[in-house]
DNA sequence: CGGATAGTTGAGTTATCTCAAATGCAGTGG
DNA sequence: CCACTGCATTTGAGATAACTCAACTATCCG
């Protein structure tokens, strides 16, 4: 039936020779990762004792993979001994019904763990799919587990990620169960803007916006047609502007009101 | 504004002198707990070394509290150094919007941890409220954490609970975002039946059903009026029967179809 | 018994969906 | 470079699931 995706493996760690390389990140592509400070990667780097670090300065225990746009990264029933973390690109994590209905649970941005469930078991139950071309880094679960027990600080930081994810899940249920279409869409936009801003990926009020309306529909529990109508209204009301795969928030105050934010 | 609930503290551990006491559970009310085998309590008991167990045979490190029906057990912003586990009664865990809209995230049955987030931090963000009279047991988080690091097996079991909870959360999002009213309601019923059955709390196809339709509405993202209509249909179609706070599944096969189960 | 809470039912409204057609847009192969 | 194919988006018309309102009834509890 469904072919299991074969990501193109690119064992990287070639120095990019970039001018703005941060030496504490090692000589890997991480040096230019927009989300370095907030990612598992940074946490882990802090945990590995100097002695254990590869001489290359690369992140330990990980390999980098590349997946082209629209390709599946993980199948819901796929077993994995690795914990993947997004390095670049946008992807989407979802579950689906046999009849095709589908719910997107989160949009994954650089620095996000693809699925923290992989920290604890080999099975995520979720479908993960690249929106743009995506690169990600795989840590071996057994390595992480070993670190986790040695290192109480690592444990605390991962607990924090884990709790955040649960707060997100709670909010998602509230949004889907109790908010209107416009509220849901407005909050998705604001939420993405906030997350991108944290990663330095906003230019002013403008963000790259590779999502199709079908993604927004599946994330908000709506129909693509309805999403189109609501986005149309938002644009006509000059709250936002979308063109050539980028989105600008024109009237943030009003958009927040539409989103019933905070 | 809102008064913080003052649960009636009843430090228990009095032996119930019950005929069916399981000696491995200690001489506490746990002896008759319907959910013992599956609960955190049983897991923890297994972890505490013989030497550390109180001579009384009681569960270590915990006290039992009682809350009357309809009373708040935890406020969303309440800090707690304890991890509570339900011993008896039904309760409900939810989040709400300032304007009163509310989403129930789960129904808590005996043996359920009130909120596993309490394992990792003092704040749950959720409102927890008793439906019937509820008793619960509080474990000190710092004690649990200490155990967690000593005992890899405990860690694995708790990981499992944690992952289950995440799977539930994912399913909830799918239900709210992508299923019809009848499907959502039918699945709530089947889901509860399944969970009660695991605890030996079903008599045949009949369960105690203390929930108000308002609870079902808030759990399914619907209106109480609409819930009434759907339940009415289910009863007229002889899928279920509700009377005097108990619910019987009459035609399980059809109910599963209505629920689009599995 | 009386007051409060919970559930039922009907009528009318509305948010969102379905269907369908038209347009745009991006990549492909000739 | 162009025609072509396949996806994405827009727009309108009509259908429908779920909502609101309101009145009525039933149930619970003191």
């Amino acid at each position: 039936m469904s072919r299991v995706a074969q990501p193109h493996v690119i064992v990287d760690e070639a120095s990019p020779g970039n001018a703005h390389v941060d030496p504490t990140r090692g000589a890997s592509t991480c040096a230019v990762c927009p989300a370095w400070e907030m990612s598992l990667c940074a946490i882990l780097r802090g945990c590995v004792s100097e002695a254990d670090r590869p001489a290359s300065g690369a992140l330990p225990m990980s390999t980098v993979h590349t997946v082209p746009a629209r390709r599946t990264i993980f199948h819901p029933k796929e077993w994995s001994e690795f914990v993947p973390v997004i390095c670049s690109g946008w992807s989407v994590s979802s579950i689906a019904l046999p009849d095709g209905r589908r719910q997107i649970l989160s949009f994954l941005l650089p620095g996000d763990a693809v699925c923290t469930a992989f920290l604890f078991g080999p099975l995520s139950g979720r479908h993960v799919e690249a929106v743009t071309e995506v690169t990600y880094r795989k840590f071996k679960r057994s390595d992480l587990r070993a670190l986790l027990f040695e290192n109480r600080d690592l444990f605390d930081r991962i607990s924090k990620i884990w709790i955040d994810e649960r707060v997100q899940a709670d909010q998602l249920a509230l949004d889907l169960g109790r908010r209107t279409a416009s509220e849901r869409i407005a909050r998705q936009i604001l939420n993405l803007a906030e997350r991108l801003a944290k990663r330095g990926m906003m230019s002013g009020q403008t963000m790259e916006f590779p999502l199709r309306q079908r993604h927004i529909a599946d994330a908000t529990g709506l129909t693509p047609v309805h999403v189109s109508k609501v986005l149309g209204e938002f644009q006509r009301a000059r709250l936002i502007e979308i063109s050539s795969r980028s989105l600008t928030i024109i009237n943030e105050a009003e958009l927040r009101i539409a989103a019933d934010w905070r």
Side-chain angles (χ1 to χ4, degrees), chain A:
Chain A
M1 276 190 68
S2 49
R3 282 189 316 120
V4 170
Q6 287 297 60
H8 308 170
V9 179
I10 302 184
V11 181
D12 88 323
E13 309 308 357
S15 165
N18 187 299
H20 303 89
V21 168
D22 170 352
T24 68
R25 300 188 192 178
S28 67
T29 49
C30 294
V32 294
C33 175
W36 170 262
E37 290 79 9
M38 62 193 315
S39 68
L40 245 192
C41 308
I43 296 174
L44 288 171
R45 173 139 199 98
C47 296
V48 178
S49 68
E50 291 293 336
D52 292 345
R53 285 188 200 164
S56 72
L59 252 189
M61 315 171 302
S62 71
T63 50
V64 171
H65 300 246
T66 302
V67 179
R70 303 147 153 285
R71 192 71 61 76
T72 289
I73 301 177
F74 278 100
H75 282 271
K77 306 234 160 124
E78 190 176 345
W79 287 60
S80 170
E81 294 309 319
F82 298 92
V83 183
V85 176
I86 305 285
C87 301
S88 69
W90 292 46
S91 46
V92 117
S93 157
S94 64
I95 46 181
L97 259 18
D99 66 8
R101 288 178 285 182
R102 156 177 112 130
Q103 178 64 49
I104 288 179
L105 299 164
S106 64
F107 296 114
L108 303 173
L109 300 179
D112 289 336
V114 160
C115 186
T116 52
F118 279 133
L119 280 165
F120 301 107
L123 202 50
S124 81
R126 294 175 169 195
H127 183 110
V128 181
E129 189 183 318
V131 175
T132 63
E133 176 177 280
V134 162
T135 62
Y136 64 96
R137 185 176 285 279
K138 277 166 43 170
F139 297 93
K140 199 145 191 246
R141 180 170 48 259
S142 53
D143 291 345
L144 288 190
R145 259 182 67 96
L147 273 182
L148 209 55
F149 278 105
E150 286 167 18
N151 192 317
R152 216 158 277 221
D153 185 51
L154 174 61
F155 181 88
D156 287 340
R157 284 152 174 278
I158 286 183
S159 298
K160 194 149 175 311
I161 292 179
W162 199 235
I163 288 182
D164 277 358
E165 216 172 80
R166 138 69 92 30
V167 170
Q168 285 311 113
D170 289 358
Q171 285 299 322
L172 178 62
L174 181 60
D175 286 354
L176 294 174
R178 292 306 192 189
R179 287 184 186 281
T180 67
S182 316
E183 284 176 331
R184 295 183 216 173
I185 294 175
R187 334 190 95 227
Q188 279 291 356
I189 294 171
L190 287 168
N191 195 8
L192 283 169
E194 191 170 280
R195 290 170 63 202
L196 289 167
K198 267 198 208 130
R199 285 155 233 252
M201 292 171 76
M202 294 287 292
S203 3
Q205 293 286 66
T206 300
M207 61 181 113
E208 300 263 315
F209 201 74
L211 302 179
R212 313 278 124 168
Q213 295 187 355
R214 150 147 268 288
H215 292 124
I216 302 179
D218 285 337
T220 51
L222 300 167
T223 285
V225 174
H226 197 60
V227 169
S228 169
K229 285 173 182 166
V230 173
L231 285 178
E233 279 164 29
F234 283 176
Q235 293 186 81
R236 258 170 270 119
R238 310 287 311 139
L239 302 185
I240 59 172
E241 190 163 279
I242 302 180
S243 69
S244 58
R245 303 277 150 230
S246 86
L247 187 156
T248 306
I249 297 176
I250 300 176
N251 187 338
E252 184 174 337
E254 279 301 318
L255 188 58
R256 278 180 192 277
I257 291 171
D260 187 27
W261 191 257
R262 298 287 127 103

